[in-house]
């Protein structure tokens, strides 16, 4: 079937296809992956028990640690001779997670990236500036092959060398920008420093931003700084890389659910949650050959909606990722997601979305600090104005978080910038526990 039609199938047709593919995947992992066979046997499950999509909940979960425990290729369902690409994502601790793709997996990946680019009607004549990292990270090559497949000219600029990136963006007349949202904002800042007007001196009309969470405020800041339409890309290497979901012109994030079957579960109990409720996003791959995964727990907190979208697409929508269950900070017993903090500070006039959350311990007490860069226009040396801004932000944060946070306003462009995923949290408490 032409991939252009796949986002618009009637729901019954999507679900029938999902069931066929789910049964096939379960059959394959049972016979080809000893890890799954053992898990199924322990539960007394046979592939034939899966008769409807609602039987999905009987299947065991897979977690990142399972991939690490079988490092590097232990969960692959095909011999290495059928693998044509290997990526890996670095973890903060322990071994990286390794993922492998067969030729067919590469076709699927390219297809979902085509469907991603289709959201902005990217095609021949477009110049796609791809500033996601090339290498083991899936962002660079994932976007690269999709851009080529839709017939655009792709500039594989990868990350770093920001001034050179600006030169390429301008001289090659890039129309589409692909990078993390934090880097898109940094590029705009540097463009201004270099004397450019990002809206007038460049031809960017749209961008695909992802790989990290971005609040409404950060998205707006990126769109306004460049004068482009903001599209979101969501994905994770274990499932395929970018191309798991993408936002449409209406701003709704659609999951390519004919390949990746989503569920939302309660992260504490593991029980499936009804449509619309927030919980942990779980995916079962439906067409992957190299590394099929059953009920993979992403740790991303989101929600799902089945009603058709205004854009006409019938595939399921997910709410924005509000945070990761393992990103969640517990400060004096209160749950805090970095995205909540970002939301507050993008609502307050005079601040930029460049910030760091620092959690520390004073004696036995947790202390939460938010360091945020102020806007150049506010940073005039008027101490009174800065004091007022600080007080206002502290008040807003206390209202939103139910917790006192100390605000430190810092000069524009003093916090460290990241080329890839931004590091927003510094938790100094663990270091202190050891010492
Ligand atoms: O970040 C794949 C990717 C590349 C997606 C480029 C989009 C664009 P990983 O390095 O395995 O893969 O990291 C996956 O990043 O579980 C989320 O926590 C986070 N993430 C990815 N996209 C988004 C998004 C790539 N749009 C992890 N919003 C995921 C929020 C995101 N978080």
């Amino acid at each position: 079937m032409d991939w252009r039609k796949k986002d618009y199938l009637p729901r019954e047709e999507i679900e029938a296809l999902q069931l066929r593919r789910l049964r096939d995947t379960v059959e394959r992992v049972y016979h080809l992956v000893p890890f799954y066979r053992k898990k199924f046997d322990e539960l007394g499950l046979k592939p034939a028990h899966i008769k409807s999509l609602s039987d999905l909940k009987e299947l065991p979960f897979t977690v990142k640690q399972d991939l690490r425990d079988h490092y590097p290729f232990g969960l692959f369902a095909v011999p290495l001779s059928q693998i044509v690409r290997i990526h890996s994502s670095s973890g903060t601790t322990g071994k990286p997670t390794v993922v492998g793709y067969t030729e067919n997996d590469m076709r699927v990946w390219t297809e979902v990236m085509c469907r991603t680019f289709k959201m902005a009607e990217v095609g021949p004549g477009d110049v796609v500036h791809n500033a996601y990292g090339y290498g083991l990270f899936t962002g660079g090559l994932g976007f690269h092959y999709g851009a080529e497949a839709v017939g655009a000219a792709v500039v594989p600029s990868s990350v770093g060398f920001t001034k050179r990136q600006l030169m390429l963006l301008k001289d090659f007349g890039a129309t589409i920008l692909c990078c993390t949202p934090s880097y898109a904002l940094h590029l705009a800042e540097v463009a201004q420093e270099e004397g450019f007007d990002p809206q007038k001196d460049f031809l960017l009309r749209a961008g695909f931003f992802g790989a990290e969470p971005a609040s409404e405020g950060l998205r707006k800041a990126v769109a306004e700084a460049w004068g482009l339409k903001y599209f979101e890309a969501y994905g994770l290497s274990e499932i395929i890389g970018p191309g798991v979901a993408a936002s449409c012109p209406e701003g709704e994030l659609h999951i390519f659910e004919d390949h990746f079957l989503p569920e939302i579960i309660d992260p504490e109990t593991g029980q499936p949650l009804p449509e619309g409720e927030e919980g942990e996003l779980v995916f079962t791959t439906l067409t992957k050959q190299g590394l099929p995964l059953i009920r993979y727990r992403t740790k991303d907190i989101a929600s799902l909606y089945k009603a058709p979208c205004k854009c006409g697409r019938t595939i399921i929508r997910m709410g924005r990722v509000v945070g990761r269950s393992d990103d969640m900070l517990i400060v004096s017993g209160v749950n805090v997601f970095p995205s909540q903090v970002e939301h507050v500070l993008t609502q307050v006039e005079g601040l930029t979305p460049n910030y760091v959350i620092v959690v520390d311990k004073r004696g036995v007490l947790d202390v939460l600090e938010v360091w945020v860069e102020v806007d150049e226009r506010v940073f005039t040396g008027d101490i009174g104005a800065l004091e007022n801004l600080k007080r206002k932000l502290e008040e807003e944060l206390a209202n939103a978080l139910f917790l006192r946070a100390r605000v430190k306003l810092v000069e524009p462009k003093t916090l460290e910038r990241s080329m890839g995923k931004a590091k927003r949290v510094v938790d100094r408490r663990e270091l202190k526990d050891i010492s």
Side-chain angles (χ1 to χ4, degrees):
M1 183 196 299
D2 183 351
W3 58 262
R4 285 169 196 83
K5 299 199 180 126
K6 291 188 176 172
D7 294 355
Y8 303 92
L9 297 176
R11 271 226 75 77
E12 313 80 67
E13 220 172 292
I14 297 174
E15 289 178 10
L17 182 65
Q18 285 177 324
L19 178 59
R20 242 185 1 255
R21 290 178 166 176
L22 175 66
R23 296 184 67 174
D24 175 59
T25 299
V26 167
E27 191 76 46
R28 266 184 305 117
V29 297
Y30 186 73
H31 290 105
L32 300 173
V33 187
F35 162 80
Y36 279 121
R37 181 172 206 125
K38 185 160 169 274
K39 280 209 155 189
F40 279 46
D41 286 349
E42 277 166 10
L43 293 168
L45 254 181
K46 291 273 181 260
H49 291 153
I50 304 303
K51 296 198 172 69
S52 72
L53 285 178
S54 63
D55 292 333
L56 185 62
K57 60 180 184 306
E58 309 303 328
L59 294 173
F61 290 116
T62 313
V63 294
K64 205 178 186 83
Q65 191 59 39
D66 295 326
L67 285 155
R68 294 214 173 104
D69 290 346
H70 297 82
Y71 174 86
F73 305 144
L75 294 192
F76 286 11
V78 297
L80 198 58
S81 56
Q82 289 179 36
I83 295 290
V84 297
R85 175 82 70 76
I86 293 169
H87 280 280
S88 113
S89 72
S90 55
T92 39
T93 50
K95 294 267 203 281
T97 29
V98 180
V99 296
Y101 304 73
T102 63
E103 233 177 289
N104 195 63
D105 294 336
M106 293 305 299
R107 269 195 292 277
V108 168
W109 197 8
T110 300
E111 177 202 301
V112 287
M113 289 314 296
C114 286
R115 287 161 74 178
T116 298
F117 277 123
K118 175 80 181 140
M119 299 293 189
E121 300 295 341
V122 179
D126 274 308
V127 175
V128 174
H129 183 96
N130 188 8
Y132 281 114
Y134 279 67
L136 287 171
F137 176 55
T138 51
L141 287 170
F143 273 90
H144 183 101
Y145 282 90
E148 279 189 2
V150 294
V154 55
V155 181
S157 62
S158 196
V159 290
F161 305 103
T162 303
K163 287 183 189 163
R164 194 191 61 187
Q165 301 245 8
L166 288 168
M167 183 185 82
L168 300 178
L169 269 166
K170 187 167 184 311
D171 294 350
F172 296 177
T175 53
I176 307 291
L177 175 62
C178 303
C179 63
T180 58
S182 55
Y183 191 57
L185 193 64
H186 178 53
L187 272 167
E189 276 174 1
V190 179
Q192 272 157 350
E193 267 169 35
E194 294 293 299
F196 293 118
D197 177 341
Q199 295 196 11
K200 294 217 181 86
D201 297 333
F202 297 83
L203 298 176
L204 289 175
R205 66 174 179 87
F208 287 87
F209 306 105
E212 64 182 10
S215 64
E216 193 57 48
L218 176 57
R219 285 198 284 267
K220 211 163 140 237
V222 169
E224 279 173 5
W226 286 107
L228 53 68
K229 189 160 170 70
Y230 190 110
F231 289 87
E232 177 168 349
Y234 168 84
L236 56 161
S237 45
E238 294 88 329
I239 298 305
I240 200 141
V244 174
S247 70
C248 69
E250 298 290 334
E252 295 288 329
L253 199 46
H254 293 271
I255 298 175
F256 300 118
E257 60 168 328
D258 44 325
H259 294 293
F260 319 111
L261 181 59
E263 295 171 85
I264 294 287
I265 61 159
D266 178 329
E268 303 285 327
T269 64
Q271 286 309 308
L273 291 175
E275 189 182 339
E277 272 188 42
E278 216 161 72
E280 182 177 344
L281 192 52
V282 170
F283 284 106
T284 299
T285 64
L286 295 177
T287 49
K288 281 258 294 289
Q289 311 272 324
L291 181 63
L293 290 178
I294 303 291
R295 303 191 85 197
Y296 183 73
R297 293 185 62 159
T298 63
K299 300 226 163 141
D300 291 326
I301 305 294
S303 41
L304 294 173
Y305 307 90
K306 280 191 186 160
C309 181
K310 278 199 224 130
C311 75
R313 284 178 180 77
T314 48
I315 49 174
I316 201 162
R317 288 171 290 138
M318 64 184 262
R320 293 288 158 2
V321 173
V322 297
R324 288 179 54 81
S325 57
D326 58 356
D327 236 26
M328 190 180 74
L329 288 162
I330 303 184
V331 183
S332 307
V334 179
N335 297 349
V336 178
F337 283 110
S339 57
Q340 285 175 296
V341 173
E342 183 173 311
H343 179 72
V344 171
L345 53 88
T346 56
Q347 302 302 307
V348 175
E349 194 72 31
L351 301 173
T352 72
N354 297 305
Y355 68 98
V356 187
I357 299 167
V358 182
V359 199
D360 209 341
K361 249 191 179 357
R362 303 264 149 79
V364 288
L365 291 182
D366 289 342
V367 189
L368 179 69
E369 286 191 0
V370 177
W371 300 4
V372 54
E373 286 180 10
V374 297
D375 198 301
E376 234 141 32
R377 282 160 298 185
V378 178
F379 205 77
T380 53
D382 178 348
I383 305 287
L386 287 176
E387 270 302 313
N388 283 340
L389 183 58
K390 176 172 141 69
R391 245 196 320 274
K392 179 165 170 36
L393 182 56
E394 283 178 345
E395 237 175 73
E396 300 279 335
L397 283 170
N399 284 336
L401 306 177
F402 304 112
L403 184 77
R404 289 232 152 262
R406 276 186 40 191
V407 166
K408 197 164 132 189
L409 299 178
V410 302
E411 281 185 48
K413 300 184 188 127
T414 48
L415 296 177
E416 199 185 325
R417 298 293 191 266
S418 138
M419 304 296 163
K421 300 180 193 241
K423 183 162 169 45
R424 303 291 197 192
V425 177
V426 179
D427 196 338
R428 294 181 174 152
R429 292 175 298 183
E430 291 149 31
L431 298 174
K432 294 214 165 146
D433 284 345
I434 300 166
S435 59

